[in-house]
């Protein structure tokens, strides 16, 4: 029998076995689907957050908020000093009135907080967008010089909160990887138990196959194929569930900042294919592990 004929036979027998013992097989499929779903969900969130971090890094700015009494001459001198380094790409000054308009546009529900003030509720500011490849020593010296300026009330460096966001992305990925591996291990154990149980149920047929001279590969092949199918089905179920959860979450959190950051894009086909193949590999691995020391159909088994 050729290899393709053997593979066709293995898959056919595996499909028949899955149909016959679908309740037991369903447990294995659902177990592996849950593990891949959780791992995929963390991968989706961390991937989208990482893309936001990458975009914001290209727009990294340092914003200085000025003292209320800063004179026009002092502000002009400060603008020149901020724009002096070659790695400063642009300078933008925002008046108190413009700051109020931007605040009300960004946070409509909080617009009342900045209305009817006798003084300007938000300070004048100057933002400098700079090349993130700027020499560190020069950049730190430039920031220290700004912090010591008497006309400046506060210096806000975007890199501070971007570092915190990068740490959050790493934590999300770490938690997802750990949970996914633990649950995948449980899924492999479940598939191994199901395959071992199936082999026990078919022990009489296996004994007959040995009597007629069937090889070990021919006897074990259908069980390996069954584990592979269970894993692939679990992977497909996880991908489908992940897409449904993504669409639901995207629709319900479209108006929130966190939702917009976590669910702007779904996983690419490469990541989805990896999840399905990972499920197949886990199923095949569980089947091989379960029968590794079993003497199928022999008197010692």
């Amino acid at each position: 029998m050729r290899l393709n004929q053997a593979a066709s036979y293995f898959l056919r027998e595996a499909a028949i076995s899955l149909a016959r013992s679908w309740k037991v097989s369903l447990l294995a499929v659902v177990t592996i689907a849950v593990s891949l779903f959780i791992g995929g969900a963390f991968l989706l969130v961390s991937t989208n957050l990482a893309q936001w971090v990458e975009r914001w890094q290209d727009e990294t700015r340092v914003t200085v908020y000025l003292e209320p009494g800063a004179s026009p001459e002092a502000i002009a001198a400060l603008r020149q000093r901020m724009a002096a380094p070659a790695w400063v790409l642009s300078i933008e000054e925002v008046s108190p009135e413009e700051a109020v308009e931007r605040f009300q546009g960004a946070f409509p529900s909080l617009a009342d907080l900045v209305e009817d003030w006798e003084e300007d509720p938000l300070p004048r500011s100057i933002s400098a967008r700079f090349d993130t490849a700027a020499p560190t020593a020069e950049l730190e010296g430039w920031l220290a010089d700004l912090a010591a300026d008497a006309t400046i009330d506060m210096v806000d460096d975007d890199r501070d909160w971007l570092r915190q966001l990068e740490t959050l992305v790493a934590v999300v990925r770490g938690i997802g990887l750990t949970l996914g591996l633990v649950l995948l291990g449980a899924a492999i154990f479940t598939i191994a138990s199901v395959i071992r149980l199936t082999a026990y149920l078919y022990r009489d047929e296996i004994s007959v196959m040995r009597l007629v001279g069937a090889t070990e590969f021919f006897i074990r092949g259908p069980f390996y194929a069954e584990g592979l199918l269970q894993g692939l089905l679990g992977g497909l179920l996880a991908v489908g569930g992940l897409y449904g959860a993504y669409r639901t979450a995207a629709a319900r959190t479209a108006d929130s900042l966190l939702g917009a950051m976590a669910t702007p894009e779904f996983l690419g086909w490469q990541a989805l294919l990896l999840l399905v193949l990972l499920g197949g590999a886990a199923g095949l691995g569980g089947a091989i592990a379960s029968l590794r020391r079993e003497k199928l159909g022999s008197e010692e088994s």
Side-chain angles (χ1 to χ4, degrees):
M1 180 178 289
R2 295 179 178 176
L3 184 59
N4 60 340
Q5 292 176 321
S8 176
Y9 166 75
F10 294 161
L11 291 174
R12 184 174 66 253
E13 291 298 314
I16 293 173
S17 178
L18 283 176
R20 285 179 177 173
S21 56
W22 66 270
K23 291 183 179 178
V24 178
S25 298
L26 183 62
L27 173 64
V29 171
V30 170
T31 304
I32 205 165
V34 169
S35 64
L36 292 175
F37 175 84
I38 293 176
F42 276 93
L43 177 63
L44 173 63
V45 172
S46 63
T47 299
N48 281 322
L49 288 177
Q51 288 178 351
W52 276 103
V53 171
E54 186 175 349
R55 293 170 191 166
W56 285 331
Q57 283 177 337
D58 294 336
E59 297 293 330
T60 302
R61 296 171 182 269
V62 166
T63 301
V64 297
Y65 296 95
L66 307 184
E67 293 285 357
S71 65
E73 295 77 12
I75 295 174
L78 177 61
R79 284 178 58 101
Q80 289 184 349
R81 286 170 47 209
M82 291 182 68
W87 33 264
V88 172
L89 304 176
S90 63
I91 293 288
E92 182 184 19
E93 182 176 346
V94 179
S95 68
E97 295 77 15
E98 292 171 332
V100 169
E101 291 179 4
R102 291 186 180 187
F103 179 87
Q104 291 176 330
F107 308 100
S109 61
L110 303 177
D112 295 342
L113 293 178
V114 292
E115 290 181 352
D116 301 328
W117 283 59
E118 295 182 359
E119 300 178 351
D120 294 325
L122 299 177
R124 181 182 297 275
S125 63
I126 301 176
S127 296
R129 189 167 71 88
F130 59 92
D131 187 351
T132 53
T136 304
E138 290 185 23
L139 182 58
E140 295 301 328
W142 180 71
L143 289 171
D145 181 55
L146 293 177
D149 194 302
T151 62
I152 296 176
D153 180 48
M154 185 177 69
V155 178
D156 183 15
D157 187 351
D158 285 353
R159 295 178 304 164
D160 294 336
W161 63 269
L162 281 174
R163 291 191 192 100
Q164 296 177 11
L165 198 53
E166 286 176 333
T167 303
L168 174 64
V169 172
V171 170
V172 169
R173 281 182 174 166
I175 293 175
L177 181 62
T178 303
L179 276 177
L181 289 176
V182 170
L183 293 174
L184 200 59
I188 292 174
F189 178 79
T190 303
I191 288 179
S193 300
V194 170
I195 295 297
R196 192 177 293 115
L197 175 61
T198 305
Y200 177 76
L201 295 176
Y202 284 87
R203 62 187 183 283
D204 293 337
E205 289 85 345
I206 295 173
S207 297
V208 173
M209 293 174 68
R210 286 193 181 281
L211 288 175
V212 299
T215 64
E216 200 67 24
F217 174 70
F218 197 76
I219 292 173
R220 293 173 182 263
F223 297 106
Y224 295 158
E226 184 173 345
L228 177 64
L229 286 180
Q230 288 176 348
L232 291 175
L233 288 173
L236 290 172
L237 187 61
V239 169
L242 198 60
Y243 183 71
Y246 162 77
R247 297 294 300 178
T248 302
R252 294 187 177 182
T253 62
D255 297 332
S256 68
L257 177 60
L258 184 60
M261 290 176 58
T263 60
E265 297 179 4
F266 192 54
L267 293 173
W269 67 268
Q270 299 92 338
L272 299 178
L273 180 62
L274 177 63
L275 287 176
V276 175
L277 293 180
L278 189 58
L284 181 60
I288 293 174
S290 67
L291 302 180
R292 188 164 55 92
R293 296 183 179 178
E294 296 288 336
K295 296 181 179 178
L296 302 179
S298 63
E299 294 180 356
E300 292 79 358
S301 63

